[in-house]
Each structure stands twice: as C-alpha cells, then as structure tokens.
C-alpha cells in the first residue's frame, strides 16, 4: 500500500465550506494517507463562471486549511495557463508523479452523476482512481453508461486502491453535512449570517474583500 498516494479534491470552492473540509479530512483518515489536496478550479468548464476570481477562491481555501496539516491548498489549476479540465490535471499529475504512484480523485455523488458530460471522462480511470462520496440528497446514478462504467471499475477495497496507480471507483459514505456553497451565497445575499457553515477565517476574508455582494 502506498500511503503516499496523491489524493485530491477539485472544485469551484466558491466558497470552500465545512462540507468540503470535513469530507477531505474524513477521507484522509479513512484511507490512511498523508494528506488530501484541495484544488480550486481556474475557470469552471461545467457551470457558469462565478463572480470571485480564481485567486480569491484559492486564498479562501488556503485560509481554511492553514491550521490543518492533513489538508493542503494546491494552486496548480489556478496557476495553469490552460482552462481547468480534469483530464489536463490528471495528465499533468501523472507526468509529475510518474507511472506507479496512486492518484485518487475525490468527488461527491452529485459530481459523479454528471461524469458522462465531462471532457473525455472515460480516460480518467486510466490515470487515477475515483473516490466517490455519497452526499445527502444524491443517489447512485441511474444512467446506463455510468451504471456499466461503475460495474466495470467498482471496488470496496482501500488497499486495492492504494496498491495500484489507477483504475478503480470506490464509493464511501461519510458523515452527512448538507452544506453547499450555493446555500452560503444565498444566505449572504439575504443579509443573514453564514457563520458555522465554514471557517471563521473564510467569513472574515469575504467581509474584508466585500465578496458575494456584501456592501458593508
Ligand atoms: P455549489 O453549491 O456552488 O454547486 P458545492 O458546495 O457543491 O458548490 P463545489 O465546489 O462545486 O461545491 O464542490 C466541489 C466538490 O465537493 C464536488 O465533488 C462536490 O460534490 C463536493 N461537495 C460539495 N459539498 C459537499 C458536501 N456538503 N459534502 C460532501 N461533498 C461535497
């Protein structure tokens, strides 16, 4: 088993919240790996562009993990000259880490459900494992293509995942935290407090920089 596997969670993180952070930390502990990397996207390719810059979203992730050595903010997509396609990220990670080291891409079940719409998604498992987190309100996919893909690649074994470079899909149920970035943006827009949905440092940053439509 390779405890040094590169495990990462990509996302818009607009803003990062305790649902992301708790998921990343629980997976790090469950898998027994050194750390989980959080990779904010540069320009979202699957959704309309958010109002915050990539640098701002990265800074919020940085602030959120600053006292937690098991989590790390990774700037590779934000600093990249290319738009954020998962395939590019996986190819560059594979190139950087070599052919043997396990790479694990974490995603929520909501993201997994949309996988067949992602650029060259079937190649992801050639480069990495997919770790899919069951999330409140989202079930295992109905779509036939994804059902077949899941049946072909699914494993229940963490040690299999950590002893091979790529190729498996692993589902894991975690403590449900029904928090979304959308909910936080709406809460702020209504003039209500979003405290305790995410770290106080992130809320302070949002207030200091007047993000999400804050005026005072
Ligand atoms: P939005 O509400 O803007 O769509 P989000 O809260 O879903 O945002 P993203 O940045 O889109 O956050 O998500 C990044 C990754 O984190 C995705 O794989 C998503 O499934 C996962 N995720 C988001 N919220 C949670 C949560 N509460 N619990 C577990 N995983 C989550």
């Amino acid at each position: 088993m390779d405890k040094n596997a590169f495990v990462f969670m990509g996302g818009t993180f607009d803003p990062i919240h305790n649902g992301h952070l708790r998921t990343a930390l629980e997976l790090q502990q469950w898998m027994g790996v050194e750390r989980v990397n959080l990779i904010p996207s540069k320009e979202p390719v699957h959704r309309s562009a958010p109002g915050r810059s990539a640098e701002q979203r990265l800074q919020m992730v940085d602030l959120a993990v600053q006292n937690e050595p098991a989590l790390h903010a990774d700037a590779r997509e934000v600093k990249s000259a290319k738009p954020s396609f998962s395939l590019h990220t996986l190819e560059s990670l594979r190139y950087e880490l070599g052919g043997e080291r396990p790479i694990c891409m974490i995603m929520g079940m909501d993201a997994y459900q949309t996988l067949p719409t992602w650029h060259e998604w079937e190649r992801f498992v050639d480069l990495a494992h997919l770790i899919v987190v069951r999330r409140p309100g989202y079930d295992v996919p109905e779509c036939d293509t994804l059902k077949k893909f899941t049946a072909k690649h699914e494993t229940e074994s963490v040690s299999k995942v950590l002893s091979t470079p790529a190729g498996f899909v692993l589902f894991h149920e975690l403590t449900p935290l029904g928090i979304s970035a959308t909910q936080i943006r709406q809460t702020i827009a209504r003039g209500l407090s979003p405290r305790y949905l995410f770290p106080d440092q992130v809320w302070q940053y949002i207030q200091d920089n007047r993000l999400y439509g804050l005026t005072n």
Side-chain angles (χ1 to χ4, degrees):
M1 289 223 291
D2 190 343
K3 301 283 183 185
N4 199 26
F6 187 92
V7 182
F8 76 97
M9 182 177 195
T12 321
F13 302 123
D14 184 29
I16 182 136
H17 55 69
N18 289 346
H20 301 127
L21 293 162
R22 192 64 214 157
T23 298
L25 188 63
E26 285 194 21
L27 281 176
Q28 179 266 332
Q29 293 173 101
W30 178 65
M31 295 179 78
V33 292
E34 201 184 322
R35 72 182 194 190
V36 169
N37 300 279
L38 298 164
I39 310 188
S41 61
K42 184 187 168 67
E43 292 148 11
V45 283
H46 299 294
R47 45 198 284 173
S48 53
R52 276 57 53 190
S53 72
E55 281 292 344
Q56 286 174 323
R57 290 182 288 105
L58 172 65
Q59 277 175 36
M60 289 190 276
V61 176
D62 232 339
L63 285 170
V65 301
Q66 65 184 0
N67 295 317
E68 179 45 73
L71 302 181
H72 175 72
D74 184 312
R76 72 184 59 234
E77 287 194 3
V78 172
K79 304 285 182 208
S80 162
K82 295 180 179 175
S84 299
F85 283 104
S86 298
L87 189 70
H88 292 163
T89 304
L90 291 173
E91 282 172 342
S92 78
L93 281 169
R94 186 46 79 201
Y95 180 78
E96 186 185 309
L97 303 174
E100 297 306 315
R101 195 159 153 199
I103 298 176
C104 302
M105 177 159 102
I106 300 171
M107 60 175 70
M109 185 62 86
D110 58 320
Y112 189 68
Q113 284 174 341
T114 67
L115 201 60
T117 65
W118 296 25
H119 178 64
E120 299 205 45
W121 67 281
E122 277 163 306
R123 289 184 52 208
F124 293 0
V125 278
D126 297 336
L127 297 156
H129 303 292
L130 306 183
I131 314 294
V132 184
V133 178
R134 293 179 198 276
R135 199 177 160 188
Y138 297 93
D139 288 327
V140 183
E142 294 291 322
C143 130
D144 268 357
T145 323
L146 207 48
K147 264 192 189 158
K148 279 188 197 143
F149 174 84
T150 306
K152 188 168 168 200
H153 296 284
E154 186 174 359
T155 181
E156 289 179 2
S157 161
V158 176
S159 55
K160 259 191 191 168
V161 163
L162 294 182
S163 48
T164 42
F168 288 115
V169 177
L170 178 67
F171 292 91
H172 189 55
E173 182 101 41
L174 290 179
T175 311
L177 279 184
I179 303 173
S180 71
T182 305
Q183 173 197 5
I184 292 173
R185 294 194 299 271
Q186 288 171 350
T187 302
I188 297 172
R190 288 191 196 119
L192 300 172
S193 171
R195 273 193 86 189
Y196 311 124
L197 296 172
F198 54 9
D200 271 344
Q201 301 95 302
V202 176
W203 179 219
Q204 192 59 53
Y205 179 91
I206 289 171
Q207 293 175 95
D208 292 347
N209 292 279
R210 309 246 192 289
L211 301 181
Y212 304 102
L214 276 184
T215 49
N216 53 31

